Amino acid sequence: MIDPGQIKKKAIARYSAFLRSVMANEPFFPLSTPVGKRPSDFIALKKAVNQLQNKSKESTGFGYTLELETKRTYAHHNQSLPTRIYFANEPDYLKFIQKEAEVLKFRQDVALIRATVPALEDWLHQNAPKVVDFAEHWSDLLKVCEYFQQQPQPNRYLRELPIAVHTKFVEQHKKILRSLLESILPDEQLIDVTGERGNIFEKRFSLKYAEPTIRLRFLDVSLQTKYDFPVADMSIPLSSFEQLGIRGTRCFITENQMNFLTLPTLPNSFALFGSGYAVQALQSVGWLRDCNIFYWGDLDAQGFQILSHLRSHFPKVRSIMMDENTLKAFDQFTVTDVKAMFKTLSNLTEEEQAVYKYLVTNKVRLEQEHILQNYVNRALNSLG
């Protein structure tokens, strides 16, 4: 047989449905709960019935109503047994689950939302519990909604938005704000962010954000002169890099900063500082597909994973100094790599796969800065 604690759990489990009924102005009571199977033991049965009576509305003045009926049982003769347990009305229900103040605030917030941003009506019916979750923030959330209704594509940084909320409010409430804004803004005013990584909120709602920067170094002074760059080594925002269009050249991508800085002079060439998985940012740079791209990473599991990922966007990328000969030449500088884990990489050559498998199997790595400069110069100058 059910006990008062179980009745409370079941009542709380129906709370979201109750909120939706309030939103829709639909009847919710009486709310019944199953009585359950009664104990066969007389003492246990008596105790269970007493517990239910002691916590019922008849005893406490609120909560569930307990209906009893005298029945003759085979084992225990005439007994008063529960036949129905239910909450008759909202006050009984809310006081029992201690939600009276919360529901009062819920009603106030729903009224505020409907009056301030009527376009959120559909959102309200689908997200009643979230109204409670953000009970302390609706005034500010609605200010943001109103602003985007008036300025749907602001092209500003979050901190620049002229909204009377504290400076970090939008940053701290991106998830709920995305849900709200997607509900009220026309599809044509939203940016498709499928497959995007990072700054999703900003991209979705046409906001500025701190872009990744690309570090570029010209390895040929004539190339620098041709494109009228005042310096050979610079860092520029990704969006600016996308516009450069240095086509028909050779591009060398390397992970380690010192290796990037010490790359030798090479004709018709420039270098990019990849810095690990920062190379992922390059996938949006269309003109790079018209370059001969060379990737030089560490001889370790991560280096080959980066190479494979880079090839998924630039299939003609060639690896340099990531081969068996280089590994053997500098074997004395290999170190243990306990984090090396094998992953299936579909964009490696047969030779690269063999080296990758060796490194992971033997848990070793060779960092590119241990490769001597004269070896590097010979390898680069021998490239076609």
Side-chain angles (χ1 to χ4, degrees):
M1 184 179 297
I2 198 167
D3 62 42
Q6 292 170 327
I7 293 173
K8 188 168 187 177
K9 286 182 180 179
K10 288 182 178 294
I12 291 173
R14 298 298 306 278
Y15 183 56
S16 292
F18 165 74
L19 293 178
R20 288 192 292 271
S21 75
V22 172
M23 191 87 67
N25 196 28
E26 296 174 346
F28 192 73
F29 300 97
L31 175 63
S32 299
T33 189
V35 175
K37 185 178 180 180
R38 60 176 180 259
S40 58
D41 178 76
F42 175 75
I43 295 176
L45 175 63
K46 191 69 175 176
K47 181 179 179 181
V49 173
N50 287 340
Q51 282 184 329
L52 287 172
Q53 289 178 310
N54 291 338
K55 296 293 184 179
S56 70
K57 182 178 179 178
E58 183 181 19
S59 298
T60 63
F62 64 91
Y64 58 85
T65 296
L66 177 66
E67 290 186 356
L68 299 171
E69 182 179 331
T70 301
K71 292 187 177 183
R72 181 174 179 80
T73 66
Y74 177 78
H76 312 307
H77 306 295
N78 291 341
Q79 297 292 328
S80 292
L81 300 175
T83 56
R84 187 183 178 203
I85 300 172
Y86 65 95
F87 294 92
N89 52 54
E90 181 179 316
D92 287 344
Y93 172 70
L94 294 181
K95 191 167 185 178
F96 185 74
I97 63 173
Q98 300 176 306
K99 296 288 188 179
E100 295 167 291
E102 186 171 281
V103 171
L104 176 62
K105 183 66 166 63
F106 172 78
R107 283 192 161 95
Q108 293 170 346
D109 286 336
V110 169
L112 176 66
I113 294 167
R114 283 173 166 161
T116 309
V117 185
L120 283 171
E121 186 65 32
D122 288 344
W123 184 92
L124 281 171
H125 286 279
Q126 297 171 18
N127 297 277
K130 289 185 180 179
V131 177
V132 173
D133 294 341
F134 294 91
E136 303 303 317
H137 303 292
W138 280 109
S139 176
D140 287 345
L141 290 170
L142 293 172
K143 289 176 185 176
V144 179
C145 290
E146 287 183 295
Y147 172 80
F148 274 89
Q149 283 183 310
Q150 297 165 10
Q151 300 288 336
Q153 294 178 316
N155 194 31
R156 298 186 180 201
Y157 292 102
L158 287 177
R159 300 289 182 91
E160 289 184 307
L161 296 177
I163 307 173
V165 296
H166 73 74
T167 55
K168 292 187 178 182
F169 181 80
V170 178
E171 294 176 31
Q172 294 171 347
H173 295 86
K174 287 181 180 179
K175 186 174 181 180
I176 181 64
L177 282 169
R178 178 176 177 179
S179 177
L180 294 168
L181 295 176
E182 287 181 338
S183 176
I184 63 176
L185 296 179
D187 289 343
E188 60 269 20
Q189 294 176 346
L190 301 174
I191 304 301
D192 184 5
V193 291
T194 304
E196 293 281 349
R197 295 185 180 183
N199 301 296
I200 298 300
F201 183 87
E202 289 82 354
K203 293 174 183 177
R204 183 68 164 151
F205 301 108
S206 300
L207 291 159
K208 291 182 178 180
Y209 55 90
E211 295 183 54
T213 57
I214 304 298
R215 187 167 180 182
L216 164 72
R217 177 173 168 244
F218 284 102
L219 305 179
D220 182 348
V221 67
S222 64
L223 192 62
Q224 177 188 344
T225 302
K226 176 181 177 180
Y227 287 95
D228 196 28
F229 277 88
V231 293
D233 186 346
M234 71 206 78
S235 293
I236 58 176
L238 176 61
S239 60
S240 297
F241 183 74
E242 290 173 342
Q243 304 303 315
L244 292 185
I246 312 176
R247 293 179 170 84
T249 56
R250 297 193 302 178
C251 171
F252 292 86
I253 303 173
T254 184
E255 290 183 38
N256 182 272
Q257 185 178 48
M258 188 52 63
N259 293 94
F260 167 80
L261 293 172
T262 55
L263 288 173
T265 298
L266 295 168
N268 198 36
S269 302
F270 67 93
L272 300 178
F273 178 34
S275 186
Y277 282 97
V279 298
Q280 293 179 359
L282 299 176
Q283 65 189 58
S284 63
V285 186
W287 60 264
L288 271 178
R289 291 174 177 81
D290 297 325
C291 297
N292 292 320
I293 304 175
F294 299 87
Y295 176 72
W296 178 26
D298 289 327
L299 274 156
D300 62 5
Q302 187 184 57
F304 281 100
Q305 288 161 11
I306 296 171
L307 171 62
S308 180
H309 176 79
L310 190 60
R311 277 212 186 109
S312 68
H313 299 286
F314 304 98
K316 296 181 180 180
V317 170
R318 293 166 57 185
S319 64
I320 48 176
M321 291 174 283
M322 297 179 71
D323 52 24
E324 184 179 1
N325 289 337
T326 302
L327 185 60
K328 287 181 177 179
F330 299 95
D331 180 65
Q332 69 270 33
F333 298 118
T334 59
V335 295
T336 301
D337 185 6
V338 295
K339 295 182 179 180
M341 298 291 291
F342 185 82
K343 297 180 182 179
T344 300
L345 303 179
S346 56
N347 297 310
L348 300 184
T349 66
E350 185 175 339
E351 181 184 3
E352 290 164 351
Q353 288 282 8
V355 177
Y356 170 60
K357 184 176 181 181
Y358 173 85
L359 293 168
V360 174
T361 301
N362 293 277
K363 301 285 186 182
V364 295
R365 67 192 304 259
L366 173 63
E367 296 176 342
Q368 59 183 167
E369 56 262 48
H370 288 300
I371 299 175
L372 297 180
Q373 189 65 41
N374 59 359
Y375 185 95
V376 173
N377 293 347
R378 285 197 304 271
L380 295 178
N381 284 303
S382 68
L383 294 173

